[in-house]
Amino acid sequence: MNASRFLSPVWDLMFCVLAYTSVEAEPFINIVIQVIEDDKAKTNEPFVTGVRGQAPPLVTTSFHVRDQGNASPRFVRCTAYNMPCTADMAKQSQVPLAAVIKPLATLPPDENPPYMVDHGEGGPIRCNRCKAYMCPYMQFIEGGRRFQCSFCNCVTDVPPHYFQHLDHTGKRVDCYDRPELSLGSYEFLATVDYCKNNKLPQPPAFIFLIDVSYNAVKSGMVSIVCHELKSLLDHLPRENPEVDSVVRVGFVTYNKVLHFYNVKASLAQPQMLVVSDVSDMFVPLLDGFLVNVNESRQVIESLLDQIPEMFADTRETETVFGPVIQAGLEALKAADCAGKLFVFHTSLPIAEAPGKLKNREDKKLIGTDKEKSLFQPQVGFYNNLAKECVAQGCCVDLFLFPNQYVDVATLGVVPVSTGGSVYKYTYFQAQTDQERFLNDLRRDLQKHVGFDAVMRVRTSTGIRATDFFGSFYMSNTTDVELAGLDCDKAITVEFKHDDKLSEETGALMQCAVLYTSCSGQRRLRIHNMAVNCCSQLADLYRNCETDTIINYFSKYAFRGVLSNPTKAVRDTLVNQCAQILACYRKNCASPSSAGQLILPECMKLLPVYLNCVLKSDVLLPGADVSLDDRAYLKQLISCMDVADTHVFFYPRLLPVMKLESGSLPVAVRNSEERLSKGGVYLMETGLHLFLWVGASVQQELLLNLFGTPSFSQIDSSMINLPVLDNPFSQRLREIIDSFRAQRSRYMKLVVVKQEDRTELIFRHFLVEDKSASGGASYVDFLCHMHKEIRQLLS
């Protein structure tokens, strides 16, 4: 490859030149970092949401949001902020039309959480026909006595108590006093009509179900969980930090049989009740199982002290799993409340019981047409159980501690269908993995969560929501049902045309989520979004967001492996990407030679990011990637937001040889050639943190960082940097802490010494290089993509 000079990018013209005989590699050297840094440099004002169809800053840019009528990009991000007016135009461009919605997203401290609106006994004001909720897009007419719905054009009378006069522009005079008339996101207090069986809900309950088989006890998991729960029960979620949490708790331990515990406040000691007939699960006690923490604290602490001792000498290796979830579900049914099950589990459930599984890990099927069967649940039992859990508002979070195959594809069915999470700690060892597990557990227990939720996405005439990706259940084509919905979960929604759109009115969407808060209040959270519509392809290509497109593509592809061979899924992705770029080349770019690869300005990172998706372990597994790991990643990605998929597919790689307070060093490309032997680099993948140390690092840097003068003395088994009294050590630890705070999972630090064994794992994440499992380098993939585009054009 010869590297010659680069034609500078011209708006809407071309980003790089690439001939088959000589790939001009130089243009691509820093393209990702350049785009990210340019976006940061131009974002110095708050992002104001009042302008229709304005694309927000990238997820890699830190910015302040001012809500003036559209939902913040922290709640909603779109693949295109300029939708094509017709289905034909959408088909021609092949740009996916989708939104990634994170209904309960956490906002930074300097931004206001959505305001609560209480309309009293009448409940929220809605359109008579399509049932869209009152929002800034509704048009008030006839002096304010009626309003016309912008979603379906139906005219509805304004209730007398809600009437207000209009000003000379046709706006209500109280417009800016009412969140639902001036903001993109807000909440309504729901009335009893929005509750199950027309009665207000009970506060939710948390049930902890702990595997006490031989592996669980031996690994230290049981004693760690019991010890941690004693302090964690003070941090159950609550609306108001000044008030005690109203969440009740219950405890179950299990191996081949289940042990329920009575922790009623009036008891001197907890009582154990054993259910050995796991084929017909029931809860052996009602009074004393779900209790208020403060009232029963002494009995609970006594129980948590006793559990590790009771099972210290167990020889029982077999476990059940299906009856464990059934037990929690039956307890919530008996208490007539929603809630969450925290299941701590270690092994494949082979004991005789409903939901029993067998080991089906077969490496010979990988790469064949039968590979897809390995991603499908082994038995239908868990699908039916998930459906029952959703009906009760029973969300399941699963913490796995496997030493061998546990069939994550099947065990994950209930957590994924109920809006829960799966956490996995393979070969768990207390010494090295305790910190990561406990941080995950603490965050999971304390985070903002809603229960028994239903989400519906309404759109204006011309488009409709046709497909949904995420952790949820759907019994019909419109309602996304979530037994639990937390602040980390995102749902990706795809839209299709069913009529023409108008450039004048644009396109609207409204996401409404009905849920029960952790204090037992029924609420409606509303997010509104208006985008532009265009009749020219150039306008569509000018206003897309690549990171959101990649979020959609990855979820679409990862779901595709359930029903198609992996190779077919990969080919489909490459083909769609080539069609997007060929359409741009043909219809929007200035004439140029066929030897040039021309990409739209806002999509110049599409090939590099798409190549990362194609090289992911789900679509291109290495020899050492287990089937469980692939199923785990597939489930994890399904509910990630745009920021999480961005760092997962294109990790952040920072040179940390020189650190200044207050600012981060500029990242470098994810390529081995960017690593210098005298350097130290921090890599963040969203799930891992690596600190790569070159073999020729200066002695002073080693002393500042590790407190040791020589490279050979660095202890690569350390999971935290030593706390040293120098500005460099302090700043690097601050950076690591800030990275961890940004992610929903705790990232364990791995120190990688150059040419050490662990370097193989680190290299796996250098995504611009050719991968050991056969994935193309970025430059090779660009050549391939260029070839595909030329074939389409000819």
Side-chain angles (χ1 to χ4, degrees):
M1 293 184 197
N2 73 330
S4 62
R5 284 318 311 148
F6 174 36
L7 296 166
S8 67
V10 178
W11 167 241
D12 230 4
L13 182 71
M14 67 169 70
F15 126 70
C16 59
V17 179
L18 177 66
Y20 280 116
T21 48
S22 64
V23 175
E24 304 197 13
E26 189 69 21
F28 322 124
I29 292 303
N30 257 341
I31 190 70
V32 175
I33 309 306
Q34 193 63 53
V35 168
I36 289 171
E37 291 302 316
D38 287 352
D39 191 71
K40 286 178 184 172
K42 74 175 191 218
T43 307
N44 40 27
E45 297 287 314
F47 178 70
V48 178
T49 70
V51 184
R52 186 178 82 187
Q54 183 185 8
L58 298 179
V59 288
T60 41
T61 298
S62 174
F63 59 99
H64 178 80
V65 179
R66 213 175 281 152
D67 183 344
Q68 289 190 358
N70 280 314
S72 159
R74 307 194 204 288
F75 294 123
V76 183
R77 273 186 181 266
C78 302
T79 53
Y81 288 85
N82 220 335
M83 279 198 173
C85 280
T86 64
D88 287 346
M89 192 175 155
K91 191 176 174 185
Q92 187 185 357
S93 75
Q94 286 291 308
V95 173
L97 304 177
V100 181
I101 305 173
K102 197 175 178 183
L104 300 185
T106 307
L107 300 179
D110 60 349
E111 290 177 23
N112 292 325
Y115 287 97
M116 171 67 74
V117 180
D118 183 357
H119 282 319
E121 286 175 20
I125 315 293
R126 308 175 70 173
C127 165
N128 271 347
R129 186 197 288 156
C130 73
K131 301 296 181 210
Y133 292 89
M134 182 53 68
C135 68
Y137 317 136
M138 301 300 191
Q139 297 291 317
F140 287 87
I141 54 175
E142 296 176 25
R145 285 186 295 280
R146 306 175 87 191
F147 70 89
Q148 184 168 21
C149 174
S150 301
F151 293 88
C152 71
N153 294 323
C154 172
V155 173
T156 301
D157 289 337
V158 172
H161 71 85
Y162 196 68
F163 172 78
Q164 187 53 269
H165 295 287
L166 308 185
D167 66 13
H168 64 286
T169 66
K171 269 191 168 167
R172 284 174 55 126
V173 295
D174 65 348
C175 171
Y176 294 107
D177 301 327
R178 290 191 176 273
E180 74 275 20
L181 299 180
S182 54
L183 298 177
S185 301
Y186 42 88
E187 289 202 321
F188 288 119
L189 196 57
T191 54
V192 74
D193 319 350
Y194 289 86
C195 304
K196 261 189 200 163
N197 310 323
N198 280 12
K199 67 177 198 205
L200 293 169
Q202 299 283 333
F206 283 0
I207 303 176
F208 301 92
L209 304 111
I210 306 166
D211 175 349
V212 287
S213 63
Y214 176 74
N215 279 343
V217 174
K218 192 172 123 237
S219 70
M221 181 272 277
V222 174
S223 60
I224 290 169
V225 169
C226 291
H227 181 265
E228 183 64 22
L229 284 179
K230 287 199 290 187
S231 58
L232 263 186
L233 294 175
D234 288 327
H235 301 285
L236 294 170
R238 67 203 74 201
E239 231 79 56
N240 178 350
E242 309 299 314
V243 182
D244 287 339
S245 174
V246 292
V247 175
R248 289 174 296 163
V249 297
F251 302 87
V252 176
T253 56
Y254 66 93
N255 38 49
K256 265 203 312 201
V257 298
L258 276 78
H259 325 102
F260 291 78
Y261 296 94
N262 184 346
V263 283
K264 198 174 175 177
S266 57
L267 295 174
Q269 280 293 325
Q271 293 173 347
M272 177 201 277
L273 291 92
V274 180
V275 176
S276 49
D277 179 8
V278 290
S279 61
D280 183 20
M281 187 41 66
F282 67 99
V283 181
L285 76 157
L286 295 180
D287 188 28
F289 179 64
L290 290 179
V291 296
N292 175 291
V293 172
N294 287 350
E295 289 169 13
S296 294
R297 179 171 296 277
Q298 278 185 305
V299 196
I300 291 172
E301 294 202 349
S302 172
L303 170 68
L304 293 171
D305 286 337
Q306 288 174 37
I307 288 173
E309 293 167 18
M310 275 192 279
F311 299 99
D313 301 322
T314 183
R315 288 278 164 265
E316 185 55 74
T317 56
E318 291 190 356
T319 58
V320 296
F321 185 71
V324 177
I325 293 174
Q326 280 176 326
L329 172 62
E330 292 304 322
L332 293 177
K333 276 185 186 169
D336 191 24
C337 69
K340 186 184 269 199
L341 312 184
F342 295 81
V343 185
F344 304 91
H345 188 79
T346 57
S347 55
L348 191 72
I350 54 171
E352 208 48 61
K356 174 186 174 180
L357 301 177
K358 59 179 194 286
N359 189 335
R360 56 167 182 164
E361 186 173 35
D362 188 350
K363 291 259 163 75
K364 292 198 292 290
L365 296 184
I366 291 171
T368 71
D369 282 0
K370 288 185 179 165
E371 181 181 14
K372 57 181 182 271
S373 66
L374 301 175
F375 289 110
Q376 294 160 0
Q378 195 179 131
V379 290
F381 170 83
Y382 291 101
N383 288 346
N384 297 329
L385 183 54
K387 189 176 173 179
E388 284 182 58
C389 286
V390 172
Q392 183 56 39
C394 169
C395 174
V396 179
D397 279 355
L398 174 59
F399 293 81
L400 281 172
F401 305 84
N403 289 339
Q404 53 198 22
Y405 177 73
V406 288
D407 199 349
V408 174
T410 304
L411 296 190
V413 167
V414 180
V416 167
S417 306
T418 57
S421 306
V422 180
Y423 297 85
K424 184 164 166 286
Y425 311 91
T426 312
Y427 303 119
F428 178 81
Q429 288 180 325
Q431 198 183 345
T432 52
D433 300 306
Q434 176 172 342
E435 185 179 11
R436 178 164 72 104
F437 160 56
L438 289 181
N439 275 285
D440 284 345
L441 176 59
R442 284 170 199 147
R443 192 176 190 288
D444 192 58
L445 192 86
Q446 295 171 39
K447 65 185 170 189
H448 179 32
V449 61
F451 293 96
D452 215 355
V454 183
M455 169 175 136
R456 185 176 278 201
V457 177
R458 293 178 172 85
T459 52
S460 53
T461 312
I463 52 162
R464 62 194 168 90
T466 55
D467 208 350
F468 300 84
F469 304 83
S471 288
F472 52 76
Y473 179 80
M474 288 185 86
S475 54
N476 57 37
T477 56
T478 54
D479 293 332
V480 174
E481 298 173 55
L482 302 121
L485 171 65
D486 66 52
C487 57
D488 296 325
K489 296 289 186 301
I491 292 137
T492 299
V493 185
E494 186 179 10
F495 302 98
K496 290 261 171 30
H497 287 74
D498 54 12
D499 206 344
K500 263 188 164 166
L501 293 167
S502 127
E503 285 188 81
E504 196 182 329
T505 54
L508 308 176
M509 67 185 90
Q510 183 182 76
C511 165
V513 182
L514 175 66
Y515 71 98
T516 302
S517 74
C518 60
S519 63
Q521 224 179 30
R522 206 72 176 137
R523 297 177 178 179
L524 277 152
R525 180 165 286 204
I526 312 293
H527 297 298
N528 302 293
M529 178 61 80
V531 297
N532 286 332
C533 295
C534 58
S535 53
Q536 300 296 319
L537 282 164
D539 291 333
L540 164 67
Y541 282 103
R542 199 172 280 129
N543 225 0
C544 291
E545 199 189 52
T546 299
D547 290 321
T548 313
I549 291 173
I550 288 295
N551 180 287
Y552 166 83
F553 273 156
S554 62
K555 291 176 182 182
Y556 176 79
F558 285 16
R559 187 172 71 184
V561 299
L562 285 169
S563 46
N564 301 290
T566 319
K567 185 183 182 307
V569 173
R570 292 162 51 80
D571 291 347
T572 303
L573 273 187
V574 172
N575 181 261
Q576 187 169 354
C577 183
Q579 286 191 325
I580 290 171
L581 299 176
C583 175
Y584 174 78
R585 168 86 191 234
K586 184 178 174 185
N587 298 289
C588 312
S590 307
S592 53
S593 84
Q596 291 179 334
L597 173 63
I598 298 178
L599 304 180
E601 179 70 21
C602 68
M603 284 190 192
K604 52 191 179 189
L605 301 185
L606 190 60
V608 64
Y609 290 161
L610 185 79
N611 190 35
C612 299
V613 174
L614 295 170
K615 287 159 79 169
S616 68
D617 288 331
V618 176
L619 297 182
L620 191 72
D624 53 348
V625 179
S626 70
L627 191 64
D628 272 347
D629 278 338
R630 292 175 71 196
Y632 172 65
L633 289 174
K634 182 184 152 302
Q635 292 169 1
L636 200 58
I637 303 285
S638 73
C639 54
M640 275 188 181
D641 71 355
V642 180
D644 286 344
T645 49
H646 176 272
V647 77
F648 178 83
F649 290 114
Y650 196 93
R652 174 156 59 163
L653 184 62
L654 295 185
V656 291
M657 291 75 84
K658 292 191 181 79
L659 294 177
E660 291 164 25
S661 65
S663 65
L664 284 177
V666 174
V668 295
R669 278 174 61 221
N670 263 284
S671 171
E672 194 170 359
E673 65 185 53
R674 305 310 291 167
L675 303 174
S676 105
K677 275 190 166 182
V680 179
Y681 299 83
L682 182 67
M683 179 193 274
E684 179 206 9
T685 74
L687 297 180
H688 313 88
L689 278 173
F690 295 100
L691 189 70
W692 185 89
V693 187
S696 314
V697 171
Q698 288 181 336
Q699 192 175 20
E700 185 190 2
L701 194 55
L702 292 177
L703 281 166
N704 280 341
L705 192 49
F706 301 108
T708 175
S710 85
F711 178 77
S712 60
Q713 287 175 332
I714 298 169
D715 174 13
S716 52
S717 68
M718 69 172 76
I719 53 169
N720 276 313
L721 292 178
V723 177
L724 302 173
D725 188 13
N726 67 72
F728 184 85
S729 166
Q730 199 176 339
R731 179 69 186 128
L732 185 54
R733 283 180 286 112
E734 276 170 14
I735 291 172
I736 288 171
D737 288 344
S738 74
F739 281 11
R740 283 174 172 157
Q742 288 168 29
R743 305 290 162 213
S744 59
R745 311 256 163 160
Y746 185 83
M747 297 181 288
K748 178 170 139 183
L749 182 70
V750 180
V751 174
V752 179
K753 291 163 73 173
Q754 189 176 5
E755 289 170 15
D756 222 2
R757 246 188 358 200
T758 46
E759 204 179 29
L760 280 174
I761 304 167
F762 174 77
R763 278 192 196 150
H764 181 72
F765 297 100
L766 294 171
V767 289
E768 289 198 28
D769 297 341
K770 190 171 177 168
S771 70
S773 48
S777 72
Y778 172 34
V779 172
D780 289 347
F781 182 69
L782 266 181
C783 292
H784 175 65
M785 187 54 76
H786 189 201
K787 195 168 141 196
E788 294 280 320
I789 292 166
R790 283 177 72 169
Q791 278 176 344
L792 287 171
L793 290 172
S794 61

